[in-house]
Amino acid sequence: MKIMEAVDGIKDKLMEIRADFHNHPELSFKEERTSQIVAEALREMGLDEVDTGIAKTGVVGLLRGGAPGKTFALRADMDALPIQEENDVPYKSQNDGVMHACGHDVHTTAVLGAAMILASMRDKLKGNVKFIFQPAEEVAGGAKIMVEEGVLEKPPKVDAIIGAHVWPELDAGTIGVKAGPSMAAMDKFEIVVTGPGGHGAKPHLTSDPVVAAAQIINALQTIVSRSIDPIRSAVLSVCMIQGGHAFNIIPREVRMVGTVRTLNEDVKTMLIAKVKSILKGISEAMGVEYEFNYLDGSPALVNDPGMIELVEKAGAAIVGSENIHQLEPSMGGEDFTYFVKAVPGAMFNVGSRDEKAGLTSQLHRPTFDVNAKTLTTGVAMLCQTALMYLDA
Ligand code: NI
């Protein structure tokens, strides 16, 4: 069976499902309606097992093939973002202030579509396929809990996994791949600088956390520019600063919160050490105290080279080798990384840009949307990769 033809045969149904998800977006860990629809659809397809309520709203479907073999997993994320949609389309979000602006409605539909196609050819399937629908990718929480709750370990144990993400930097009908480190570790830090407080007119009688915070922020910006090898990548952004409540009072504290993104563990370790030494030095010189909290988020996504090779092979069959783009790493984060830490895996990107149709919006914007080509390419790629893996 030609996969792309099979997918085209269910295109309208898939677009209907996607429109329904887009109509009813749900925030992280609140994907109740979505997961109910997913579970019902999987049961209707006659899958061997459908588990619900994993990591609160996660769903896993298991398809056993006609012949024994390995177990391959396809992963989708289901959550939406707190964004007010601005698209004027029939399937516009009906939930005020919530929108599928990162394409997770497309991912969920694509894995459902792959389940439909693969279930229809189960007798010829060598091995099993697990369809994993996780909650809460946007708050980087869902994947970790699903792994902890044993979705990969539960028999049949998953041997390898892939996931796809829609990508507006690439044209619809093309895909993007990157072997090795491809998305950044996504960490959070908080710095609180404190002093005794005092009169705005008598700074010499106290220590000023506002001035200390200003120096700290400037100094933090020299870590990436002066201390890290220019060939390697890191980001440190202070995204929140809070302090003070009156024009004539030197406040007792200033709080700064931000994010650190790195692709390698050694760069991250060095960066944290530098932050600590800057805080120590400036605080001492300025006579203030400080507190520093560093919270590890999802680790860097390191795509298994063998799995990327497999995706490329599938890509050659589905979109043609000329439509496979080699991508640079992104400093964005992705919690799919928790699956890839446990079993060989890879995430690839599915182009969603269509200038003629006006589909040029970036992810996480109120105008993000995709066309049918993106959805069908995603479904066909997932099926083709699963079949090639199980046949090998
Ligand atoms: Ni996303």
Side-chain angles (χ1 to χ4, degrees), residues 77 79 81 101-104 107 137-138 165-166 333-334 363-364:
D77 41 14
D79 55 330
L81 286 160
C102 197
H104 298 188
H107 307 161
E137 192 284 321
E138 295 294 356
H165 205 297
V166 294
E334 167 61 65
L363 296 170
H364 291 215

Side-chain angles (χ1 to χ4, degrees), residues 8-47:
D8 277 332
I10 55 168
K11 184 168 98 178
D12 292 344
K13 188 175 166 89
L14 292 175
M15 283 304 278
E16 252 174 59
I17 297 172
R18 187 263 167 163
D20 179 60
F21 287 145
H22 198 87
N23 245 222
H24 304 281
E26 295 169 303
L27 291 174
S28 306
F29 289 122
K30 293 188 175 138
E31 309 89 339
E32 269 144 32
R33 180 183 184 277
T34 308
S35 66
Q36 213 176 330
I37 290 170
V38 166
E40 270 165 33
L42 294 174
R43 282 190 197 107
E44 246 172 63
M45 289 173 217
L47 291 207

Side-chain angles (χ1 to χ4, degrees), residues 362-374:
Q362 287 303 304
L363 296 170
H364 291 215
R365 295 233 178 116
T367 46
F368 179 74
D369 199 3
V370 310
N371 61 18
K373 181 94 191 148
T374 297

